[in-house]
């Protein structure tokens, strides 16, 4: 993992990324998909304000990269803004984990194929490691964000009504449904307060993904269109 050069940071950095529960889930699931996960489990407690946990079976984070994984502008995905021409990942700014550390207590447990066991790391508000201990998880990465916005009373106040909280759950579900369609080969499970709210199994193609997400009634009213364009790679 490398630190992006200052000029690239100036061009790419976005100051507002973590403003809601759904923005945390979006960043974490994108990291899981970038890590090649075929299974992603998203678990919320109290609409995500007590706990947001995203567990994947992706490649994991190498021990040498762990000290900088949540330090802003460190990323394993690009080296400079020129690499954006050939981007194949959702992430590239190296900002998300660091930004989540600013507004929540973050714990990361990870294991690569080369590791004998997983390690759990507790991070501080600036993304540095406070402590670590061995744990028992399989290959992949689990990121847990606790007490979201505990230091931002105004942001938390925004979610003080039951309707706002329910809307947020729906936003998370809609987000997961979108990734479910985009990534047929990935299993996605969404749990709130220990109850499964929505899930999608692994399927072979986009048509099957749409079928499992939208159902046969909706699919019956859809028309299949294929378009191939040599130049723009669409
Ligand atoms: P970005 O995705 O823009 O690189 P992030 O702050 O989201 O920045 O993540 C920082 C780095 O931490 C990533 O580049 C990646 O190397 C590593 N990382 C984060 N989440 C995961 C994950 N679930 N699996 C594997 N690596 C991860
Ligand atoms: Mg990311």
């Amino acid at each position: 993992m490398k630190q992006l050069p200052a000029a690239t940071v100036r061009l790419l950095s976005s100051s507002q990324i973590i403003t809601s529960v759904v923005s945390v889930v979006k960043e974490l699931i994108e990291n899981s998909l970038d890590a090649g996960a075929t299974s992603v489990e998203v678990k919320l407690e109290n609409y995500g304000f007590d706990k947001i946990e995203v567990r994947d079976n992706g490649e994991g984070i190498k021990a040498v990269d762990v000290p900088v994984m949540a330090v802003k502008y460190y990323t394993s995905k690009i080296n400079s803004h020129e690499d954006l021409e050939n981007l194949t990942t959702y992430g590239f700014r190296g900002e998300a984990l660091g930004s989540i550390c600013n507004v929540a207590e973050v714990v990361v447990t990870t294991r690569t194929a080369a590791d004998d066991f997983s390690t759990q790391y507790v991070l501080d508000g600036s993304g540095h490691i406070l402590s670590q201990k061995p744990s028992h998880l399989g290959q992949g990465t689990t990121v847990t964000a606790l007490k979201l916005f505990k230091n931002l009373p105004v942001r938390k106040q925004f979610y003080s009504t039951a309707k706002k909280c329910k809307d947020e759950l729906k936003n998370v579900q809609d987000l997961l449904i979108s990734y479910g369609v985009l990534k047929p080969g990935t299993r996605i499970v969404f749990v709130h307060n220990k109850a499964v709210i929505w899930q999608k199994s692994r399927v072979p193609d986009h048509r099957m993904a749409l079928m499992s997400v939208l159902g046969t009634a909706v699919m019956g009213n859809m028309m299949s269109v294929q378009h191939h364009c040599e130049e723009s790679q669409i």
Side-chain angles (χ1 to χ4, degrees), residues 107-142:
V107 179
V108 178
T109 307
T110 194
R111 177 175 169 179
T112 68
D115 297 331
D116 296 331
F117 52 84
S118 63
T119 305
Q120 185 192 77
Y121 301 90
V122 178
L123 304 178
D124 70 11
S126 57
H128 293 97
I129 294 162
L130 281 175
S131 65
Q132 68 182 75
K133 65 176 187 192
S135 86
H136 62 278
L137 298 183
Q139 188 186 325
T141 303
T142 301

Side-chain angles (χ1 to χ4, degrees), residues 26-28 30-31 34 77 90-97:
K26 173 179 180 290
E27 294 298 335
L28 297 182
E30 289 187 349
N31 281 345
D34 285 345
K77 299 170 193 175
Y90 289 108
F92 56 83
R93 293 191 167 98
E95 270 185 324
L97 279 183

Side-chain angles (χ1 to χ4, degrees), residues 22-85:
V22 68
S23 56
V24 176
V25 174
K26 173 179 180 290
E27 294 298 335
L28 297 182
I29 193 172
E30 289 187 349
N31 281 345
S32 296
L33 297 173
D34 285 345
T38 56
S39 170
V40 183
E41 291 172 11
V42 178
K43 291 185 184 167
L44 306 186
E45 281 175 25
N46 183 28
Y47 301 97
F49 295 104
D50 291 352
K51 183 172 172 176
I52 301 171
E53 183 175 280
V54 176
R55 173 168 303 184
D56 69 53
N57 65 349
E59 64 191 6
I61 304 169
K62 285 193 225 114
V64 290
D65 286 336
V66 163
V68 291
M69 68 186 171
V71 176
K72 279 191 194 163
Y73 314 122
Y74 277 85
T75 178
S76 58
K77 299 170 193 175
I78 60 169
N79 292 318
S80 85
H81 51 274
E82 280 97 35
D83 295 342
L84 291 179
E85 300 279 341

Side-chain angles (χ1 to χ4, degrees), residues 78 89 120 144 187:
I78 60 169
T89 54
Q120 185 192 77
T144 310
R187 162 188 179 261

Side-chain angles (χ1 to χ4, degrees), residues 225-230 232 234:
V225 178
Q226 279 207 25
H227 178 70
H228 183 71
C229 181
E230 289 293 339
S232 63
I234 292 172

